[in-house]
Amino acid sequence: MGQTYTTTALILKRRDHNEHDRLFCLYTKDFGKIDVLAKGTKKISSKLNSYLEPFYLIKVMIAKGKVFDKLANCNLIEGYQNLRHDLLGFALINYLAEITDGLIIGQTQNNNKFDLLLKTLDILEQEIGKKEKEKLLLLANLYSLKLLSLLGYQPEIKRCLICHKGILLTKNIFDFSHGGVICEDCKKVCLIEDYVLVSDQVIKLLQLSQEKDLDFFINLGIDQDTIKQFNQVVYKLLLVNLEKPIKSFDFIKKL
Ligand SMILES: [Zn+2]
């Protein structure tokens, strides 16, 4: 047997490969995103199958291969059963997977991003069924914003992107083509109309998202309009960064 390595991983997606095998896209704690081949997992009798559902958190042993690394063994750490058995919960899992898969390109060695995702999943696993949809989506979107920041795509929220003055006045806009807030005075020189008006509360929430941990937001009292507008801003920001539609978001909206 060749060289092997172990790591902790979340299963992002899977696809069929050959007659009996599947390829799994894993987001790993130590190596970022990798594809591994799981031999025989299209067969119902495969022992590995019970551990290989999308978004299971697993401990894996992987054998180095010439074309694909191969899954040698795995153990389930967490199945997020509360989320999995709730329609909205399952949609949120898929939303997180789609964003993570879309924003993280290839291998990276920054554990912060992986830990942030686990933290988000733990919170949603606890809160599903206790909070309403837009609030749960807000928690998922706080993850998206924090991930964007860790990847170096942090939106400018504290200062106007054009005049660089601190954001004070009302009637600011969030400009998606520039990736941040523009003050009322500078709004007039914005030629591309790819922006939305953002309330002071949304700006405050965007600022807090850069300063506070996710726990801070779980029971924070925020009015419905602010939550909805915040979710819209983050969704559009994600679209700009992903450069493709987010299928799972459309599904969540319909629930
Ligand atoms: Zn300005």
Side-chain angles (χ1 to χ4, degrees), residues 73-157:
N73 199 1
C74 76
N75 289 297
L76 181 66
I77 299 172
E78 174 61 60
Y80 304 104
Q81 295 302 330
N82 295 346
L83 287 167
R84 204 169 290 277
H85 292 124
D86 182 288
L87 196 56
L88 174 61
F90 196 63
L92 286 166
I93 286 183
N94 281 284
Y95 183 55
L96 293 177
E98 200 173 343
I99 292 163
T100 306
D101 185 36
L103 290 178
I104 291 180
I105 312 290
Q107 302 202 7
T108 108
Q109 294 201 316
N110 179 345
N111 292 349
N112 294 348
K113 296 195 279 285
F114 189 83
D115 293 339
L116 175 67
L117 181 54
L118 290 197
K119 175 92 192 165
T120 311
L121 282 164
D122 285 342
I123 290 174
L124 289 174
E125 174 77 357
Q126 290 299 315
E127 298 300 323
I128 189 74
K130 298 181 194 164
K131 301 259 189 306
E132 56 182 28
K133 181 170 85 174
E134 289 288 335
K135 183 67 189 272
L136 294 167
L137 190 55
L138 172 119
L139 293 168
N141 277 332
L142 285 163
Y143 162 76
S144 312
L145 266 185
K146 286 179 176 294
L147 178 60
L148 282 172
S149 293
L150 287 171
L151 291 166
Y153 307 125
Q154 179 167 307
E156 177 56 76
I157 294 152

